[in-house]
């Protein structure tokens, strides 16, 4: 099983104990499989919306499950991520149960919609999120700040000429969320200059198409300022 750099880095960011991990929008299921194979996490739910995908994944897991540690437990759920039963399952776990919800490989706008529905169900629970949006990170980070998330770990991966911001966030611990990405992500990072140039180019083009968009303007100003500071 060969994981690309983005999925491998996400799996490495799962380096503390969680009683239950959710690999949401799992598609091929490679990320969840790797996390279970690493042995730190004992229980994981794969979630995807498309029945053909979840049926195929179930068959694949039944075929290759013997490569996983003996005590690994998994389920494949065919449902919308915004409806996963965090509170119900938490009631079957220890009182101080820790859950991690991974949402990777979909647009930032869709992640915002999902978090708007999921976060009200997290109150009183210990739930961290590991996110990897494919676009609209600035808008997503703005919403994460409004939802009072903090940043525990952030990494930048460049793959196939595309940049990915990987963010481990929590309500209970971490640094204040930055709109442009934390120092952990940018400092001493040889990829920073390339990725920032891409972002700046993207917001310049977006502003040319829609000059009055305040979010585009603020993103462009912030990324240009960051470039002066760190590259
Ligand atoms: C490109 S794949 C991402 C695969 C993997 N997570 C990754 O990062 O490479 C996106 C998957 O998200 C699923 N998806 C999109 N919206 C969803 C939702 N609201 N609930 C569950 N799955 C969803 C799609 O069916 C698709 O399989």
């Amino acid at each position: 099983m060969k994981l690309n750099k983005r999925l491998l880095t996400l799996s490495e960011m799962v380096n503390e104990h969680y009683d239950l991990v959710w690999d949401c929008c799992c598609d091929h299921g490679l990320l969840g499989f790797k996390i279970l194979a690493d042995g730190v996490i004992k229980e994981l739910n794969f979630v995807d919306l498309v029945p053909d995908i979840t049926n195929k994944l179930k068959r694949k897991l039944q075929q290759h499950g013997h490569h996983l540690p003996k005590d690994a437990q998994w389920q494949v759920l065919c449902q919308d991520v915004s409806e996963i039963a965090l509170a119900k399952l938490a009631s079957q776990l220890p009182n101080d149960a820790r859950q991690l919800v991974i949402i990777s490989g979909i647009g930032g706008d869709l992640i915002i919609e999902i978090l708007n529905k999921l976060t009200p169900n997290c109150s009183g629970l210990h739930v961290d999120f590991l996110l990897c949006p494919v676009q609209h990170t600035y808008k997503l980070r703005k919403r994460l700040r409004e939802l009072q998330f903090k940043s525990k770990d952030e990494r930048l991966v460049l793959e196939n000429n595309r940049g990915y911001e990987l963010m481990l966030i929590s309500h209970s611990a971490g640094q204040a969320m930055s709109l442009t990405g934390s120092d952990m992500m940018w400092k001493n990072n040889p990829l920073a200059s390339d990725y920032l140039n891409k972002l700046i180019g993207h917001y310049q083009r977006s502003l040319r198409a829609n000059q009055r968009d305040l979010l585009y303007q603020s993103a462009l100003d912030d990324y240009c300022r960051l470039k002066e500071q760190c590259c």
Side-chain angles (χ1 to χ4, degrees):
M1 179 184 62
K2 181 109 175 72
L3 260 71
N4 62 30
K5 203 164 144 202
R6 178 178 62 87
L7 292 175
L8 191 63
T9 309
L10 282 167
S11 75
E12 288 164 1
M13 290 171 82
V14 186
N15 54 21
E16 56 182 290
H17 167 78
Y18 291 101
D19 297 282
L20 178 59
V21 171
W22 302 77
D23 178 7
C24 299
C25 301
C26 63
D27 195 358
H28 38 67
L30 289 176
L31 178 57
F33 193 90
K34 170 76 168 85
I35 290 169
L36 279 175
D38 286 344
V40 179
I41 302 301
K42 303 293 177 204
E43 190 172 349
L44 184 138
N45 290 341
F46 296 89
V47 184
D48 203 285
L49 197 56
V50 178
D52 280 354
I53 289 180
T54 50
N55 288 335
K56 192 167 157 202
L57 178 59
K58 258 184 227 163
R59 288 196 296 275
K60 224 165 69 177
L61 285 165
Q62 277 151 4
Q63 231 179 327
H64 300 285
H66 61 277
H67 293 295
L68 294 173
K70 292 240 167 340
D71 54 354
Q73 293 180 51
W74 52 265
Q75 298 186 69
V76 180
L77 306 171
C78 185
Q79 67 174 116
D80 188 327
V81 173
S82 50
E83 285 165 14
I84 57 175
L86 293 168
K88 179 161 173 270
L89 283 170
S91 68
Q92 296 160 16
L93 295 168
N95 277 346
D96 54 351
R98 293 164 52 82
Q99 300 183 67
L100 175 69
V101 177
I102 305 175
I103 309 176
S104 159
I106 59 171
D109 278 340
L110 187 50
I111 295 185
I112 291 174
E113 276 177 39
I114 291 171
L115 289 177
N116 284 343
K117 292 192 191 144
L118 269 188
T119 42
N121 306 335
C122 293
S123 91
L125 304 176
H126 186 123
V127 185
D128 288 354
F129 288 83
L130 178 58
L131 308 178
C132 173
V134 291
Q135 265 179 331
H136 307 300
T137 49
Y138 189 89
K139 188 172 171 190
L140 172 61
R141 286 173 176 281
K142 187 166 177 290
R143 184 65 188 137
L144 294 177
R145 272 161 59 134
E146 289 162 3
L147 292 169
Q148 297 179 344
F149 278 106
K150 296 177 196 150
S151 167
K152 290 176 86 172
D153 190 7
E154 292 184 28
R155 317 252 180 118
L156 177 63
V157 171
L158 238 66
E159 196 159 57
N160 301 326
N161 211 23
R162 203 165 183 169
Y164 296 96
E165 295 174 36
L166 283 44
M167 341 171 177
L168 178 63
I169 58 166
S170 166
H171 277 116
S172 56
Q175 302 177 359
M177 284 298 309
S178 151
L179 284 175
T180 49
S182 73
D183 285 354
M184 319 177 236
M185 198 176 89
W186 294 114
K187 282 259 166 77
N188 305 320
N189 190 335
L191 309 175
S193 172
D194 245 23
Y195 181 55
L196 266 175
N197 286 339
K198 275 186 210 305
L199 287 171
I200 289 169
H202 166 76
Y203 284 105
Q204 283 169 335
R205 285 190 299 281
S206 305
L207 261 179
R208 274 199 290 276
N210 190 349
Q211 291 178 2
R212 295 220 179 107
D213 193 306
L214 294 178
L215 188 89
Y216 293 161
Q217 186 63 61
S218 127
L220 182 60
D221 293 345
D222 286 351
Y223 287 125
C224 287
R225 206 171 307 122
L226 183 65
K227 185 150 191 264
E228 278 167 24
Q229 287 162 12
C230 84
C231 303

